[in-house]
Amino acid sequence: MHGLARSQGNTPPPISCGLTNKAVLLLEPDMDLRLMLNLLLTEDGCTVDACGSLVEALLAVSEKHFDFVITHGTPGIDGLLLLDVLRERGSATPCAVISARNGRGPFPLAKNLGSVDYFTTPLDYAALQRLIPSHT
């Protein structure tokens, strides 16, 4: 991971990408992806609440304000339900959806729920870095 390379002195420090002090809610049931995104976003200056379930995410949004939400978008999984709940509550918080599906099947539903973008895995983290400050 790039954090390991940085700590070993193999890469220069990150260039500010506009993520400093952004509060991000991350709902990702896959622990490896959740840990990786949490690490990358934190290294870029975000404050991240990383959740593995809808219940955790709903508790987090009831307790604090987020500048951006990143959620998992496979149908039947909590991520799209989180978007639905946020919109039902009147939240305009910008959201991005990540899905392991290469097809765009869940994309129309995510867009209807107000997602500003939709990513498939493997995730283009640089694109996500550019997206967050452009919507916050």
Side-chain angles (χ1 to χ4, degrees):
M1 270 192 259
H2 79 273
L4 293 176
R6 276 192 213 150
S7 67
Q8 295 172 357
N10 296 334
T11 60
I15 297 170
S16 175
C17 55
L19 295 178
T20 303
N21 297 321
K22 301 292 184 195
V24 175
L25 174 63
L26 171 64
L27 171 55
E28 174 54 58
D30 179 271
M31 185 182 291
D32 291 335
L33 184 54
R34 185 171 65 246
L35 291 172
M36 181 193 67
L37 283 173
N38 188 12
L39 174 68
L40 293 172
L41 290 163
T42 301
E43 285 182 349
D44 283 336
C46 294
T47 302
V48 180
D49 281 41
C51 304
S53 72
L54 179 62
V55 172
E56 290 176 75
L58 291 174
L59 182 60
V61 296
S62 71
E63 294 177 348
K64 64 198 290 191
H65 165 78
F66 292 96
D67 298 308
F68 201 86
V69 173
I70 302 167
T71 187
H72 190 80
T74 303
I77 301 293
D78 297 345
L80 294 179
L81 294 173
L82 175 62
L83 284 181
D84 192 34
V85 169
L86 289 173
R87 297 313 176 231
E88 286 286 322
R89 293 181 177 178
S91 173
T93 304
C95 303
V97 174
I98 300 171
S99 178
R101 292 182 178 209
N102 289 331
R104 304 294 268 184
F107 178 68
L109 179 56
K111 279 302 224 189
N112 287 340
L113 293 171
S115 173
V116 296
D117 211 339
Y118 183 89
F119 296 90
T120 56
T121 54
L123 178 66
D124 180 353
Y125 183 71
L128 183 62
Q129 281 179 310
R130 291 187 301 273
L131 180 70
I132 294 171
S134 72
H135 288 280
T136 56

